[in-house]
Amino acid sequence: MGAWTVLQERQAMLLDPAIRDWVLIPIMIVMVLVGIVRHQVTVLLNGTPKKADLKSARETKALQRGGILRAHGTHLPEHAFEARKTFLSDAFEKGTYEKDPNASSKPKGNVMQDPAYVETMMDGMKKNMMNIIPQTVIMAWINFFFSGFVLIKLPFPLTIRFKSMLQRGIETSDMDVSWVSSLSWYFLNLFGLQSVFTLILGSGHAADAMRDMQAMSTMGMGAAAGPQMGPTGQPADMHKIFLSEKENLDLTEHEWGLENVEMRVLVKYGKLPRSVLVDYKKAKSLGSASSQSASSPSSASAQIAAAASSSPAVTAGKKKGRRQV
Amino acid sequence: MVNAAKLLQDLRASAERKPDVVVRLGKPLIDSGAVMKLDADAWLVYEQVAIAALDVGDDVLAHKCIQALEAKFPGSARVNRLNGMKFEAVGKLTEAAAIYKAILEEDETNVLAAKRQVMLLRAMGLPTDAISALVKYLDINYTDFEGWLQLADLYLEELMYGQAAFCMEEVLMLQSQNHIFHLKYAEILYTQENYQLALKQFCRVIELCKDHVRGLYGIKLCTSRLLKSAPSKDATATSQEDLKAIDLLATERLIAVYSANGAASTKSISTKWIECL
């Protein structure tokens, strides 16, 4: 307790009001203004959004189609599901839905000669430049003129862990953590001004530092409009993606959601006890287990047996599919 | 004024088509010029009111809205589509077709224009052309369940039940929680005389929406057919006891629903109908 008051008294520093008027507030104003200018310049540079291509839209939607069938196929009766499954896996294998069905057979040229690819790269570059240049300039300005300044004291105590965040550029070990250095003030503004920008520029503005940071970490990755990129930044081989989706589809077993719907309705209206549903589930799992051991030739149990025995293969195949994607 | 704007926004968000309400709310806003106070939303209101005005046949108001939008967004495909709809509303179908074609030449992925084109073909009385155009559209925009619904309707008009059922299956995958779609699928199946499957789908309707009368009638129809025919050998078919139980349940619910809220005459009619099955 005593030590605390001593520390308090020792650090009863007074800041010159001129620091507030000539450093603290100007840094904030400059950052707001730069953010606004950046927004305007980005709008100028972006120009018209790139027109989507009908064939690439078809390509993505077709992939989605496989996913939807896998996820929501339970709502379909058996025959409908199987028909779709066969159709889609056939189409995926043949590449009916691909933008360029013969792309995989052609030898891969230099990606840098593909204008669409270069354009997306340039777009990413432009955006990154718009982010990096103003931030570097401001940081250099602050470092040059105000390095080592203490600008403001936060009105609440903080633990020592915040020291590296709030006192960047000041190498003292004893100063109370609630004092904020000039460089840290810059960082606080960089991340804290977002709602101010939203207020001034409306939502979806381009002055968003956080979003740019994310964009930087995924630099050069194609946006939704651009051609599909693989993890290495190269355009992905769509045929391979389609093939892995086909594999996923082939391994999906149909499970019909309406198999015991009559029972469920009867339970819902209280005509049957709720336990019937539990019994049904048990009977079903038991049935599949017993039919696996018994080698009965009937089609239904054979199917179930096939399903049961292929289930390890399903998971293995899925993992494989993931890897390929 | 604030309330009207709020209501219009709600209607936009829910995508309900209530042209009379929209025109009633929107007309004073636009005539008095108060709409401009809404800033960016103003243009959405203009578009909304323009379409509603076309729906109720208020061509003057529609024209006014479209003119305002054209002045603000010259050469916009979205505004141009409204122009096409204006032509459609007054029956100048060829002019409308030309506009949609121009929009699509400019941007082949324009979904709105592509959909209008299909409906134009339907309005021209060319259902086969409309079907082929819609099939082409859905091959690209697979996830548009409204497109699938429309295609199902077109097929039903042509009495092509198998194809219509296929479309409804797609709708079910995309929008599985809506009992109306399940009902429609069930009724198509019933028409195809696939009573087993239809019964299950009708049951699904009841499961999703309690005491849905049309679903209950559907169950009654299916069970009465199935009980009259020879019991099926198929293992997946509903057992005779379940059929009887579900038949009893449907009868009970129908009578209960009509006794709770219905005139005595409707009740007696429905009871007679059930007895007739």
mmCIF file of all heavy atoms in Angstrom, chain B residues 102-145:
data_model
loop_
_atom_site.group_PDB
_atom_site.id
_atom_site.type_symbol
_atom_site.label_atom_id
_atom_site.label_comp_id
_atom_site.label_asym_id
_atom_site.label_seq_id
_atom_site.Cartn_x
_atom_site.Cartn_y
_atom_site.Cartn_z
ATOM 1 N N ALA B 102 -30.837 -6.095 -74.721
ATOM 2 C CA ALA B 102 -29.721 -5.140 -74.683
ATOM 3 C C ALA B 102 -28.973 -5.232 -73.359
ATOM 4 O O ALA B 102 -27.738 -5.210 -73.335
ATOM 5 C CB ALA B 102 -30.255 -3.727 -74.896
ATOM 6 N N ILE B 103 -29.728 -5.364 -72.263
ATOM 7 C CA ILE B 103 -29.076 -5.463 -70.951
ATOM 8 C C ILE B 103 -28.187 -6.697 -70.913
ATOM 9 O O ILE B 103 -27.043 -6.665 -70.460
ATOM 10 C CB ILE B 103 -30.126 -5.547 -69.825
ATOM 11 C CG1 ILE B 103 -30.937 -4.265 -69.745
ATOM 12 C CG2 ILE B 103 -29.445 -5.803 -68.477
ATOM 13 C CD1 ILE B 103 -32.053 -4.305 -68.738
ATOM 14 N N LEU B 104 -28.701 -7.801 -71.422
ATOM 15 C CA LEU B 104 -27.936 -9.048 -71.356
ATOM 16 C C LEU B 104 -26.722 -9.012 -72.282
ATOM 17 O O LEU B 104 -25.719 -9.656 -72.012
ATOM 18 C CB LEU B 104 -28.832 -10.236 -71.698
ATOM 19 C CG LEU B 104 -29.773 -10.625 -70.565
ATOM 20 C CD1 LEU B 104 -30.741 -11.688 -71.017
ATOM 21 C CD2 LEU B 104 -28.983 -11.131 -69.372
ATOM 22 N N GLU B 105 -26.843 -8.271 -73.386
ATOM 23 C CA GLU B 105 -25.665 -8.150 -74.248
ATOM 24 C C GLU B 105 -24.560 -7.380 -73.543
ATOM 25 O O GLU B 105 -23.382 -7.672 -73.686
ATOM 26 C CB GLU B 105 -26.049 -7.445 -75.554
ATOM 27 C CG GLU B 105 -26.371 -8.451 -76.652
ATOM 28 C CD GLU B 105 -27.092 -7.799 -77.808
ATOM 29 O OE1 GLU B 105 -26.981 -6.564 -77.972
ATOM 30 O OE2 GLU B 105 -27.780 -8.538 -78.529
ATOM 31 N N GLU B 106 -25.006 -6.402 -72.765
ATOM 32 C CA GLU B 106 -24.036 -5.597 -72.009
ATOM 33 C C GLU B 106 -23.380 -6.429 -70.921
ATOM 34 O O GLU B 106 -22.171 -6.421 -70.747
ATOM 35 C CB GLU B 106 -24.797 -4.415 -71.390
ATOM 36 C CG GLU B 106 -23.938 -3.410 -70.682
ATOM 37 C CD GLU B 106 -23.264 -2.458 -71.653
ATOM 38 O OE1 GLU B 106 -23.625 -2.450 -72.848
ATOM 39 O OE2 GLU B 106 -22.373 -1.750 -71.199
ATOM 40 N N ASP B 107 -24.211 -7.174 -70.187
ATOM 41 C CA ASP B 107 -23.708 -7.952 -69.054
ATOM 42 C C ASP B 107 -24.486 -9.263 -69.012
ATOM 43 O O ASP B 107 -25.642 -9.311 -68.599
ATOM 44 C CB ASP B 107 -23.920 -7.158 -67.763
ATOM 45 C CG ASP B 107 -23.582 -7.992 -66.542
ATOM 46 O OD1 ASP B 107 -22.917 -9.025 -66.700
ATOM 47 O OD2 ASP B 107 -24.009 -7.614 -65.448
ATOM 48 N N GLU B 108 -23.829 -10.334 -69.431
ATOM 49 C CA GLU B 108 -24.569 -11.591 -69.601
ATOM 50 C C GLU B 108 -24.956 -12.228 -68.270
ATOM 51 O O GLU B 108 -25.750 -13.152 -68.237
ATOM 52 C CB GLU B 108 -23.743 -12.579 -70.424
ATOM 53 C CG GLU B 108 -22.340 -12.769 -69.886
ATOM 54 C CD GLU B 108 -21.535 -13.746 -70.704
ATOM 55 O OE1 GLU B 108 -22.063 -14.281 -71.677
ATOM 56 O OE2 GLU B 108 -20.371 -13.980 -70.346
ATOM 57 N N THR B 109 -24.397 -11.723 -67.161
ATOM 58 C CA THR B 109 -24.741 -12.339 -65.884
ATOM 59 C C THR B 109 -25.880 -11.611 -65.181
ATOM 60 O O THR B 109 -26.150 -11.889 -64.022
ATOM 61 C CB THR B 109 -23.538 -12.336 -64.939
ATOM 62 O OG1 THR B 109 -23.029 -11.020 -64.882
ATOM 63 C CG2 THR B 109 -22.472 -13.280 -65.391
ATOM 64 N N ASN B 110 -26.538 -10.693 -65.861
ATOM 65 C CA ASN B 110 -27.596 -9.935 -65.197
ATOM 66 C C ASN B 110 -28.796 -10.849 -64.918
ATOM 67 O O ASN B 110 -29.571 -11.188 -65.798
ATOM 68 C CB ASN B 110 -28.017 -8.753 -66.070
ATOM 69 C CG ASN B 110 -28.863 -7.782 -65.307
ATOM 70 O OD1 ASN B 110 -29.779 -8.177 -64.611
ATOM 71 N ND2 ASN B 110 -28.553 -6.509 -65.408
ATOM 72 N N VAL B 111 -28.919 -11.220 -63.653
ATOM 73 C CA VAL B 111 -29.936 -12.203 -63.263
ATOM 74 C C VAL B 111 -31.340 -11.644 -63.461
ATOM 75 O O VAL B 111 -32.233 -12.327 -63.962
ATOM 76 C CB VAL B 111 -29.725 -12.599 -61.790
ATOM 77 C CG1 VAL B 111 -30.836 -13.475 -61.326
ATOM 78 C CG2 VAL B 111 -28.402 -13.301 -61.623
ATOM 79 N N LEU B 112 -31.516 -10.370 -63.070
ATOM 80 C CA LEU B 112 -32.854 -9.780 -63.123
ATOM 81 C C LEU B 112 -33.386 -9.769 -64.547
ATOM 82 O O LEU B 112 -34.531 -10.151 -64.800
ATOM 83 C CB LEU B 112 -32.808 -8.354 -62.564
ATOM 84 C CG LEU B 112 -32.463 -8.254 -61.082
ATOM 85 C CD1 LEU B 112 -32.268 -6.806 -60.686
ATOM 86 C CD2 LEU B 112 -33.562 -8.870 -60.255
ATOM 87 N N ALA B 113 -32.550 -9.358 -65.485
ATOM 88 C CA ALA B 113 -32.998 -9.294 -66.878
ATOM 89 C C ALA B 113 -33.272 -10.697 -67.407
ATOM 90 O O ALA B 113 -34.253 -10.920 -68.129
ATOM 91 C CB ALA B 113 -31.952 -8.593 -67.732
ATOM 92 N N ALA B 114 -32.424 -11.647 -67.031
ATOM 93 C CA ALA B 114 -32.626 -13.021 -67.514
ATOM 94 C C ALA B 114 -33.963 -13.559 -67.025
ATOM 95 O O ALA B 114 -34.699 -14.211 -67.772
ATOM 96 C CB ALA B 114 -31.489 -13.909 -67.034
ATOM 97 N N LYS B 115 -34.297 -13.243 -65.765
ATOM 98 C CA LYS B 115 -35.562 -13.730 -65.234
ATOM 99 C C LYS B 115 -36.746 -13.054 -65.931
ATOM 100 O O LYS B 115 -37.749 -13.695 -66.216
ATOM 101 C CB LYS B 115 -35.631 -13.447 -63.729
ATOM 102 C CG LYS B 115 -34.824 -14.418 -62.905
ATOM 103 C CD LYS B 115 -34.745 -13.927 -61.490
ATOM 104 C CE LYS B 115 -35.346 -14.907 -60.517
ATOM 105 N NZ LYS B 115 -35.087 -14.564 -59.134
ATOM 106 N N ARG B 116 -36.599 -11.758 -66.165
ATOM 107 C CA ARG B 116 -37.685 -11.053 -66.859
ATOM 108 C C ARG B 116 -37.911 -11.657 -68.233
ATOM 109 O O ARG B 116 -39.028 -11.785 -68.692
ATOM 110 C CB ARG B 116 -37.374 -9.560 -67.026
ATOM 111 C CG ARG B 116 -37.408 -8.676 -65.824
ATOM 112 C CD ARG B 116 -38.635 -8.711 -64.978
ATOM 113 N NE ARG B 116 -39.890 -8.862 -65.655
ATOM 114 C CZ ARG B 116 -40.973 -9.398 -65.093
ATOM 115 N NH1 ARG B 116 -40.937 -9.833 -63.872
ATOM 116 N NH2 ARG B 116 -42.078 -9.492 -65.752
ATOM 117 N N GLN B 117 -36.799 -12.018 -68.892
ATOM 118 C CA GLN B 117 -36.923 -12.575 -70.238
ATOM 119 C C GLN B 117 -37.773 -13.845 -70.224
ATOM 120 O O GLN B 117 -38.614 -14.046 -71.092
ATOM 121 C CB GLN B 117 -35.535 -12.889 -70.779
ATOM 122 C CG GLN B 117 -35.242 -12.134 -72.035
ATOM 123 C CD GLN B 117 -33.871 -12.441 -72.555
ATOM 124 O OE1 GLN B 117 -33.128 -13.272 -72.038
ATOM 125 N NE2 GLN B 117 -33.507 -11.764 -73.617
ATOM 126 N N VAL B 118 -37.523 -14.676 -69.221
ATOM 127 C CA VAL B 118 -38.299 -15.913 -69.109
ATOM 128 C C VAL B 118 -39.773 -15.585 -68.936
ATOM 129 O O VAL B 118 -40.648 -16.144 -69.615
ATOM 130 C CB VAL B 118 -37.794 -16.746 -67.921
ATOM 131 C CG1 VAL B 118 -38.714 -17.913 -67.662
ATOM 132 C CG2 VAL B 118 -36.383 -17.211 -68.160
ATOM 133 N N MET B 119 -40.055 -14.644 -68.034
ATOM 134 C CA MET B 119 -41.451 -14.328 -67.762
ATOM 135 C C MET B 119 -42.114 -13.675 -68.967
ATOM 136 O O MET B 119 -43.310 -13.818 -69.181
ATOM 137 C CB MET B 119 -41.561 -13.421 -66.538
ATOM 138 C CG MET B 119 -41.187 -14.095 -65.255
ATOM 139 S SD MET B 119 -41.700 -15.814 -65.199
ATOM 140 C CE MET B 119 -43.461 -15.625 -64.989
ATOM 141 N N LEU B 120 -41.300 -12.969 -69.738
ATOM 142 C CA LEU B 120 -41.827 -12.351 -70.957
ATOM 143 C C LEU B 120 -42.284 -13.431 -71.928
ATOM 144 O O LEU B 120 -43.373 -13.351 -72.514
ATOM 145 C CB LEU B 120 -40.710 -11.511 -71.583
ATOM 146 C CG LEU B 120 -41.132 -10.431 -72.565
ATOM 147 C CD1 LEU B 120 -41.988 -9.426 -71.838
ATOM 148 C CD2 LEU B 120 -39.909 -9.756 -73.126
ATOM 149 N N LEU B 121 -41.457 -14.460 -72.071
ATOM 150 C CA LEU B 121 -41.824 -15.566 -72.957
ATOM 151 C C LEU B 121 -43.108 -16.220 -72.467
ATOM 152 O O LEU B 121 -43.959 -16.613 -73.262
ATOM 153 C CB LEU B 121 -40.690 -16.598 -73.001
ATOM 154 C CG LEU B 121 -39.453 -16.167 -73.769
ATOM 155 C CD1 LEU B 121 -38.341 -17.164 -73.581
ATOM 156 C CD2 LEU B 121 -39.777 -16.014 -75.246
ATOM 157 N N ARG B 122 -43.231 -16.317 -71.153
ATOM 158 C CA ARG B 122 -44.436 -16.922 -70.606
ATOM 159 C C ARG B 122 -45.647 -16.042 -70.915
ATOM 160 O O ARG B 122 -46.715 -16.540 -71.281
ATOM 161 C CB ARG B 122 -44.276 -17.088 -69.097
ATOM 162 C CG ARG B 122 -45.284 -18.044 -68.548
ATOM 163 C CD ARG B 122 -45.094 -18.298 -67.077
ATOM 164 N NE ARG B 122 -46.153 -19.211 -66.652
ATOM 165 C CZ ARG B 122 -46.304 -19.658 -65.422
ATOM 166 N NH1 ARG B 122 -45.463 -19.297 -64.490
ATOM 167 N NH2 ARG B 122 -47.286 -20.468 -65.122
ATOM 168 N N ALA B 123 -45.452 -14.726 -70.738
ATOM 169 C CA ALA B 123 -46.560 -13.805 -70.996
ATOM 170 C C ALA B 123 -46.942 -13.807 -72.471
ATOM 171 O O ALA B 123 -48.096 -13.595 -72.828
ATOM 172 C CB ALA B 123 -46.167 -12.398 -70.564
ATOM 173 N N MET B 124 -45.972 -14.050 -73.344
ATOM 174 C CA MET B 124 -46.256 -14.078 -74.784
ATOM 175 C C MET B 124 -47.001 -15.349 -75.172
ATOM 176 O O MET B 124 -47.367 -15.506 -76.334
ATOM 177 C CB MET B 124 -44.949 -14.027 -75.568
ATOM 178 C CG MET B 124 -44.312 -12.649 -75.644
ATOM 179 S SD MET B 124 -42.675 -12.802 -76.380
ATOM 180 C CE MET B 124 -42.306 -11.091 -76.692
ATOM 181 N N GLY B 125 -47.172 -16.259 -74.206
ATOM 182 C CA GLY B 125 -47.861 -17.506 -74.523
ATOM 183 C C GLY B 125 -46.957 -18.512 -75.195
ATOM 184 O O GLY B 125 -47.399 -19.262 -76.070
ATOM 185 N N LEU B 126 -45.691 -18.502 -74.860
ATOM 186 C CA LEU B 126 -44.752 -19.469 -75.435
ATOM 187 C C LEU B 126 -44.140 -20.303 -74.307
ATOM 188 O O LEU B 126 -42.971 -20.160 -73.991
ATOM 189 C CB LEU B 126 -43.631 -18.752 -76.184
ATOM 190 C CG LEU B 126 -44.035 -17.825 -77.311
ATOM 191 C CD1 LEU B 126 -42.870 -16.952 -77.716
ATOM 192 C CD2 LEU B 126 -44.527 -18.622 -78.493
ATOM 193 N N PRO B 127 -44.963 -21.159 -73.654
ATOM 194 C CA PRO B 127 -44.440 -21.861 -72.477
ATOM 195 C C PRO B 127 -43.221 -22.719 -72.781
ATOM 196 O O PRO B 127 -42.308 -22.805 -71.960
ATOM 197 C CB PRO B 127 -45.618 -22.714 -72.010
ATOM 198 C CG PRO B 127 -46.547 -22.757 -73.159
ATOM 199 C CD PRO B 127 -46.344 -21.516 -73.939
ATOM 200 N N THR B 128 -43.179 -23.354 -73.944
ATOM 201 C CA THR B 128 -42.024 -24.219 -74.234
ATOM 202 C C THR B 128 -40.746 -23.401 -74.301
ATOM 203 O O THR B 128 -39.704 -23.819 -73.795
ATOM 204 C CB THR B 128 -42.211 -24.979 -75.554
ATOM 205 O OG1 THR B 128 -43.376 -24.491 -76.192
ATOM 206 C CG2 THR B 128 -42.326 -26.454 -75.322
ATOM 207 N N ASP B 129 -40.833 -22.231 -74.948
ATOM 208 C CA ASP B 129 -39.641 -21.377 -75.013
ATOM 209 C C ASP B 129 -39.254 -20.902 -73.618
ATOM 210 O O ASP B 129 -38.073 -20.845 -73.279
ATOM 211 C CB ASP B 129 -39.901 -20.155 -75.905
ATOM 212 C CG ASP B 129 -40.065 -20.577 -77.348
ATOM 213 O OD1 ASP B 129 -39.599 -21.685 -77.658
ATOM 214 O OD2 ASP B 129 -40.664 -19.824 -78.118
ATOM 215 N N ALA B 130 -40.290 -20.568 -72.827
ATOM 216 C CA ALA B 130 -40.019 -20.109 -71.469
ATOM 217 C C ALA B 130 -39.313 -21.216 -70.694
ATOM 218 O O ALA B 130 -38.350 -20.958 -69.962
ATOM 219 C CB ALA B 130 -41.315 -19.722 -70.767
ATOM 220 N N ILE B 131 -39.773 -22.459 -70.864
ATOM 221 C CA ILE B 131 -39.151 -23.571 -70.145
ATOM 222 C C ILE B 131 -37.693 -23.715 -70.554
ATOM 223 O O ILE B 131 -36.804 -23.803 -69.696
ATOM 224 C CB ILE B 131 -39.926 -24.884 -70.408
ATOM 225 C CG1 ILE B 131 -41.236 -24.861 -69.650
ATOM 226 C CG2 ILE B 131 -39.099 -26.087 -69.976
ATOM 227 C CD1 ILE B 131 -42.124 -26.040 -69.915
ATOM 228 N N SER B 132 -37.428 -23.687 -71.857
ATOM 229 C CA SER B 132 -36.036 -23.901 -72.255
ATOM 230 C C SER B 132 -35.163 -22.744 -71.773
ATOM 231 O O SER B 132 -34.014 -22.961 -71.352
ATOM 232 C CB SER B 132 -35.908 -24.125 -73.756
ATOM 233 O OG SER B 132 -36.574 -23.106 -74.442
ATOM 234 N N ALA B 133 -35.704 -21.519 -71.797
ATOM 235 C CA ALA B 133 -34.915 -20.382 -71.308
ATOM 236 C C ALA B 133 -34.646 -20.522 -69.815
ATOM 237 O O ALA B 133 -33.535 -20.256 -69.342
ATOM 238 C CB ALA B 133 -35.651 -19.080 -71.589
ATOM 239 N N LEU B 134 -35.673 -20.969 -69.093
ATOM 240 C CA LEU B 134 -35.527 -21.096 -67.642
ATOM 241 C C LEU B 134 -34.563 -22.226 -67.288
ATOM 242 O O LEU B 134 -33.769 -22.113 -66.346
ATOM 243 C CB LEU B 134 -36.895 -21.347 -67.010
ATOM 244 C CG LEU B 134 -37.006 -21.213 -65.501
ATOM 245 C CD1 LEU B 134 -36.394 -19.913 -65.038
ATOM 246 C CD2 LEU B 134 -38.456 -21.275 -65.065
ATOM 247 N N VAL B 135 -34.612 -23.305 -68.046
ATOM 248 C CA VAL B 135 -33.682 -24.414 -67.799
ATOM 249 C C VAL B 135 -32.256 -23.925 -67.987
ATOM 250 O O VAL B 135 -31.362 -24.212 -67.183
ATOM 251 C CB VAL B 135 -33.997 -25.597 -68.740
ATOM 252 C CG1 VAL B 135 -32.861 -26.599 -68.722
ATOM 253 C CG2 VAL B 135 -35.278 -26.273 -68.329
ATOM 254 N N LYS B 136 -32.069 -23.126 -69.043
ATOM 255 C CA LYS B 136 -30.741 -22.583 -69.292
ATOM 256 C C LYS B 136 -30.295 -21.669 -68.141
ATOM 257 O O LYS B 136 -29.147 -21.717 -67.688
ATOM 258 C CB LYS B 136 -30.767 -21.778 -70.600
ATOM 259 C CG LYS B 136 -29.504 -21.952 -71.421
ATOM 260 C CD LYS B 136 -29.681 -21.277 -72.763
ATOM 261 C CE LYS B 136 -28.649 -20.199 -72.942
ATOM 262 N NZ LYS B 136 -29.029 -19.206 -73.935
ATOM 263 N N TYR B 137 -31.241 -20.889 -67.668
ATOM 264 C CA TYR B 137 -30.941 -19.973 -66.567
ATOM 265 C C TYR B 137 -30.577 -20.742 -65.303
ATOM 266 O O TYR B 137 -29.617 -20.418 -64.606
ATOM 267 C CB TYR B 137 -32.157 -19.072 -66.333
ATOM 268 C CG TYR B 137 -32.155 -18.334 -65.028
ATOM 269 C CD1 TYR B 137 -31.418 -17.163 -64.890
ATOM 270 C CD2 TYR B 137 -32.873 -18.800 -63.940
ATOM 271 C CE1 TYR B 137 -31.397 -16.489 -63.700
ATOM 272 C CE2 TYR B 137 -32.862 -18.129 -62.745
ATOM 273 C CZ TYR B 137 -32.125 -16.975 -62.626
ATOM 274 O OH TYR B 137 -32.119 -16.307 -61.427
ATOM 275 N N LEU B 138 -31.352 -21.802 -65.024
ATOM 276 C CA LEU B 138 -31.120 -22.552 -63.786
ATOM 277 C C LEU B 138 -29.844 -23.385 -63.852
ATOM 278 O O LEU B 138 -29.248 -23.697 -62.830
ATOM 279 C CB LEU B 138 -32.308 -23.459 -63.488
ATOM 280 C CG LEU B 138 -33.529 -22.731 -62.946
ATOM 281 C CD1 LEU B 138 -34.718 -23.663 -62.890
ATOM 282 C CD2 LEU B 138 -33.254 -22.168 -61.579
ATOM 283 N N ASP B 139 -29.444 -23.741 -65.061
ATOM 284 C CA ASP B 139 -28.188 -24.469 -65.195
ATOM 285 C C ASP B 139 -27.029 -23.613 -64.682
ATOM 286 O O ASP B 139 -26.041 -24.142 -64.187
ATOM 287 C CB ASP B 139 -27.981 -24.813 -66.677
ATOM 288 C CG ASP B 139 -26.764 -25.693 -66.857
ATOM 289 O OD1 ASP B 139 -26.652 -26.666 -66.101
ATOM 290 O OD2 ASP B 139 -25.942 -25.394 -67.732
ATOM 291 N N ILE B 140 -27.193 -22.299 -64.776
ATOM 292 C CA ILE B 140 -26.145 -21.403 -64.286
ATOM 293 C C ILE B 140 -26.430 -20.969 -62.857
ATOM 294 O O ILE B 140 -25.602 -21.121 -61.978
ATOM 295 C CB ILE B 140 -26.034 -20.182 -65.214
ATOM 296 C CG1 ILE B 140 -25.563 -20.639 -66.589
ATOM 297 C CG2 ILE B 140 -25.077 -19.159 -64.631
ATOM 298 C CD1 ILE B 140 -25.935 -19.716 -67.681
ATOM 299 N N ASN B 141 -27.643 -20.449 -62.630
ATOM 300 C CA ASN B 141 -27.982 -19.967 -61.294
ATOM 301 C C ASN B 141 -28.731 -21.058 -60.543
ATOM 302 O O ASN B 141 -29.930 -20.967 -60.300
ATOM 303 C CB ASN B 141 -28.836 -18.710 -61.392
ATOM 304 C CG ASN B 141 -28.097 -17.613 -62.085
ATOM 305 O OD1 ASN B 141 -27.131 -17.086 -61.582
ATOM 306 N ND2 ASN B 141 -28.529 -17.307 -63.293
ATOM 307 N N TYR B 142 -27.981 -22.077 -60.177
ATOM 308 C CA TYR B 142 -28.628 -23.262 -59.613
ATOM 309 C C TYR B 142 -29.365 -22.967 -58.318
ATOM 310 O O TYR B 142 -30.401 -23.542 -58.028
ATOM 311 C CB TYR B 142 -27.578 -24.345 -59.382
ATOM 312 C CG TYR B 142 -28.045 -25.408 -58.462
ATOM 313 C CD1 TYR B 142 -29.013 -26.309 -58.894
ATOM 314 C CD2 TYR B 142 -27.580 -25.500 -57.161
ATOM 315 C CE1 TYR B 142 -29.487 -27.278 -58.051
ATOM 316 C CE2 TYR B 142 -28.056 -26.462 -56.313
ATOM 317 C CZ TYR B 142 -29.005 -27.338 -56.755
ATOM 318 O OH TYR B 142 -29.483 -28.279 -55.919
ATOM 319 N N THR B 143 -28.847 -22.040 -57.508
ATOM 320 C CA THR B 143 -29.385 -21.872 -56.161
ATOM 321 C C THR B 143 -30.648 -21.014 -56.091
ATOM 322 O O THR B 143 -31.137 -20.756 -55.005
ATOM 323 C CB THR B 143 -28.337 -21.225 -55.244
ATOM 324 O OG1 THR B 143 -27.729 -20.174 -55.966
ATOM 325 C CG2 THR B 143 -27.311 -22.212 -54.799
ATOM 326 N N ASP B 144 -31.181 -20.596 -57.213
ATOM 327 C CA ASP B 144 -32.359 -19.737 -57.210
ATOM 328 C C ASP B 144 -33.614 -20.599 -57.059
ATOM 329 O O ASP B 144 -34.160 -21.086 -58.042
ATOM 330 C CB ASP B 144 -32.401 -18.934 -58.518
ATOM 331 C CG ASP B 144 -33.555 -17.969 -58.538
ATOM 332 O OD1 ASP B 144 -34.365 -18.010 -57.604
ATOM 333 O OD2 ASP B 144 -33.651 -17.181 -59.482
ATOM 334 N N PHE B 145 -34.086 -20.776 -55.820
ATOM 335 C CA PHE B 145 -35.208 -21.711 -55.645
ATOM 336 C C PHE B 145 -36.487 -21.175 -56.269
ATOM 337 O O PHE B 145 -37.350 -21.933 -56.685
ATOM 338 C CB PHE B 145 -35.413 -22.049 -54.160
ATOM 339 C CG PHE B 145 -36.079 -20.983 -53.364
ATOM 340 C CD1 PHE B 145 -37.453 -20.977 -53.211
ATOM 341 C CD2 PHE B 145 -35.335 -19.997 -52.758
ATOM 342 C CE1 PHE B 145 -38.074 -19.988 -52.472
ATOM 343 C CE2 PHE B 145 -35.936 -19.016 -52.014
ATOM 344 C CZ PHE B 145 -37.320 -19.001 -51.882
#
